[in-house]
Amino acid sequence: PGDARALTIVAHVRAYSRRRLSEAIELHERALSINPNLPLAWVLSGLAHIYQGDHAEGIRRVEQARELSPLDPAEFWFDMALALAHLLRHEHPEALAAARRAADMNPYFSSTFKAYTASLGHAGQPAAEVLAHLLKLEPTFTVTDYSGTPARRSPCANHSRSSGRASGERAIASV
């Protein structure tokens, strides 16, 4: 109960795997009250807010994480979260820039490549190479499978789904 890192990881599991966003946000707040200088708690609480549809608050929290740890070895998490938030806000240049940074930092983090593919689609740019990389990381990934994730249930999720079609994700699946 007094370990901020453990609380924020439990909160992320509840947000992402269990879809219990209000409960997750409460746990993140507890974690941040214990340790307000924990970048992991800020970025994961930012994701919970993004999943809930409060993209501005999510972005603010992710930027707080970056401010606390500007040279964080897991900085790709920050940019992946920003890519998702900007994508859902229809801010395609920002989403694409953040997704590219995250992919450059960690080419093995599949979540990045989902937002990256969608961002390319909305930008009208070819996505086949990025999509192929995603499928190497997650060979069974489909847009249909993505429908169970909290990001997909965000109030702006249809925008992300439509970008899959725009980017040529028909090769994966159609929704």
Side-chain angles (χ1 to χ4, degrees), residues 3-124:
D3 184 336
R5 185 176 305 277
L7 280 170
T8 208
I9 291 170
V10 166
H12 183 64
V13 169
R14 293 212 177 138
Y16 189 80
S17 298
R18 305 278 189 242
R19 319 301 187 257
R20 291 160 45 185
L21 296 175
S22 297
E23 187 178 327
I25 288 171
E26 287 177 28
L27 288 170
H28 283 304
E29 291 306 314
R30 279 182 48 203
L32 288 166
S33 72
I34 294 167
N35 184 354
N37 295 314
L38 182 62
L40 180 67
W42 285 104
V43 72
L44 294 181
S45 71
L47 276 169
H49 282 275
I50 292 164
Y51 298 155
Q52 194 172 50
D54 188 355
H55 307 128
E57 179 62 14
I59 290 169
R60 186 190 74 74
R61 286 170 179 266
V62 173
E63 292 299 345
Q64 177 65 26
R66 188 185 310 273
E67 186 175 317
L68 288 169
S69 189
L71 302 175
D72 199 298
E75 186 179 12
F76 60 91
W77 270 90
F78 305 163
D79 284 314
M80 179 278 300
L82 290 174
L84 179 60
H86 287 300
L87 176 65
L88 294 172
R89 286 169 54 132
H90 305 239
E91 298 168 348
H92 303 120
E94 294 86 349
L96 189 52
R100 282 187 174 135
R101 284 191 309 269
D104 288 345
M105 283 184 264
N106 185 343
Y108 304 103
F109 190 48
S110 64
S111 293
T112 295
F113 290 88
K114 294 167 187 170
Y116 195 179
T117 300
S119 297
L120 285 166
H122 280 294

Side-chain angles (χ1 to χ4, degrees), residues 37 80 102 133 135 140 169-170 173:
N37 295 314
M80 179 278 300
H133 186 79
L135 290 174
T140 62
E169 264 185 76
R170 289 181 206 92

Side-chain angles (χ1 to χ4, degrees), residues 132-154:
H133 186 79
L134 170 58
L135 290 174
K136 283 182 186 173
L137 297 173
E138 284 189 42
T140 62
F141 174 79
T142 67
V143 173
T144 302
D145 292 340
Y146 194 53
S147 67
T149 67
R152 185 69 179 275
R153 294 171 188 248
S154 168

